[in-house]
Amino acid sequence: MLELKHIDKYYNPGTVNEMCLFKDFNLSIDEHEFVSVVGSNGSGKTSMLNLICGSIRMDRGRIIIDGKDISKEKEFQRAKYMGRVYQNPAMGTCPSMTIKENMSLADNKGKMYGLRAGTSKKRVDFYRESLSQLGLGLEDKMDVKVGSLSGGQRQAMALVMSTMTPIDFLILDEHTAALDPKTAELIMELTDKVVKEKKLTTIMVTHNLRYAVEYGDRLLMMHQGKIVMDHKGADKDTIDTDDILKKFNEISIECGN
């Protein structure tokens, strides 16, 4: 179980631009739960992911995984058991390196390299097999630099790379937002397959309301650093995009928009 307890987070503290994003924020996510998170810009969605991954520090509170407090762990320490796919396909891969080299980097995450070769010939067949499941022909382009691939190909690679080593959590930060509709559908189908096969606890931030409804077993809506909608299991199955839009409209009216 992942628990966020009594989280406070301020931006620009002590200045005229000080902003309180989270005040006594609490959230619990069960093991193997696939959570979709929606909300307007500035609602705290990505900041929540950054806090979980250790990319930013909180001002108060604790983050607990299976009873262990990880609040003081660095981002690279959490990366050993967390995989993350970003909105920008360029952030999950190294464009100046080949597909084979990128796969090798992911395969050796958290390990010491020393002075040995960066890629192992013994693992190349495994890389090809992993990429062949995407159906994008990347297994035949092992020596092609990743920078020459399309955004969808790179995002598919990033998803595979983020789950190559044993992880418990998959963090998806609007990972289909920069893709065309057809490619986005492919990536979502692949995401669902990977999450189910590897039984990963998953948090997916998305602006696509249909994806939030169709995928996962829990749906959260955030607004101004608070959870204003939370549906799971059979309750989530009754939610559709119109229900989410209705909530968005209610919030908009309350804010005077």
Side-chain angles (χ1 to χ4, degrees):
M1 175 183 283
L2 170 67
E3 298 174 276
L4 280 68
K5 291 191 170 184
H6 309 296
I7 303 293
D8 288 357
K9 177 59 185 177
Y10 291 82
Y11 286 106
N12 306 310
T15 72
V16 294
N17 295 318
E18 179 177 306
M19 182 191 74
C20 176
L21 179 57
F22 294 117
K23 183 66 176 177
D24 198 29
F25 179 81
N26 295 275
L27 174 65
S28 295
I29 296 175
D30 292 332
E31 187 177 15
H32 306 321
E33 204 167 40
F34 185 166
V35 183
S36 299
V37 184
V38 298
S40 57
N41 292 332
S43 62
K45 305 184 302 299
T46 294
S47 291
M48 179 182 69
L49 299 187
N50 286 333
L51 286 170
I52 292 171
C53 293
S55 304
I56 60 175
R57 291 292 180 185
M58 56 200 168
D59 297 302
R60 185 179 76 98
R62 296 189 300 160
I63 299 176
I64 299 172
I65 293 179
D66 295 334
K68 178 186 176 183
D69 191 336
I70 67 163
S71 305
K72 294 183 179 180
E73 282 190 358
K74 303 291 186 183
E75 184 175 12
F76 76 89
Q77 294 173 309
R78 301 184 198 187
K80 293 178 181 178
Y81 51 86
M82 291 184 183
R84 185 169 184 175
V85 184
Y86 298 86
Q87 177 179 345
N88 184 352
M91 292 186 68
T93 55
C94 183
S96 63
M97 300 176 72
T98 66
I99 290 177
K100 180 171 62 179
E101 290 167 340
N102 270 265
M103 295 292 284
S104 180
L105 279 177
D107 193 20
N108 288 278
K109 183 175 74 172
K111 300 177 183 177
M112 295 294 290
Y113 264 102
L115 296 176
R116 61 187 173 83
T119 57
S120 169
K121 293 181 179 179
K122 295 179 181 178
R123 296 291 287 170
V124 172
D125 287 341
F126 170 71
Y127 302 157
R128 285 199 176 97
E129 182 182 349
S130 299
L131 292 170
S132 67
Q133 298 176 25
L134 300 176
L136 298 174
L138 295 177
E139 67 275 13
D140 299 321
K141 301 178 180 180
M142 298 297 289
D143 294 315
V144 172
K145 289 191 175 181
V146 170
S148 66
L149 302 178
S150 69
Q153 289 174 320
R154 292 178 71 169
Q155 201 68 315
M157 261 194 70
L159 183 59
V160 170
M161 289 168 60
S162 69
T163 58
M164 280 185 70
T165 55
I167 59 172
D168 299 314
F169 298 91
L170 179 61
I171 308 297
L172 306 170
D173 189 1
E174 298 184 47
H175 71 309
T176 63
L179 307 177
D180 64 81
K182 182 178 179 181
T183 305
E185 293 288 345
L186 171 66
I187 296 300
M188 277 309 309
E189 290 172 6
L190 175 63
T191 299
D192 194 47
K193 178 183 177 183
V194 169
V195 169
K196 288 176 178 176
E197 287 182 352
K198 296 182 179 288
K199 298 181 180 179
L200 300 174
T201 304
T202 304
I203 308 173
M204 178 181 74
V205 165
T206 180
H207 281 297
N208 189 310
L209 301 186
R210 181 170 63 82
Y211 291 164
V213 168
E214 290 183 5
Y215 292 95
D217 41 38
R218 185 176 179 185
L219 189 152
L220 301 179
M221 179 186 288
M222 297 184 65
H223 176 63
Q224 295 182 346
K226 298 180 177 63
I227 295 173
V228 295
M229 178 185 283
D230 186 355
H231 297 280
K232 63 169 66 176
D235 185 28
K236 178 182 181 293
D237 293 338
T238 66
I239 297 295
D240 58 27
T241 55
D242 288 338
D243 296 318
I244 303 176
L245 285 171
K246 181 180 178 181
K247 188 64 176 179
F248 268 119
N249 290 333
E250 290 174 359
I251 291 171
S252 181
I253 292 171
E254 289 174 5
C255 293
N257 297 324

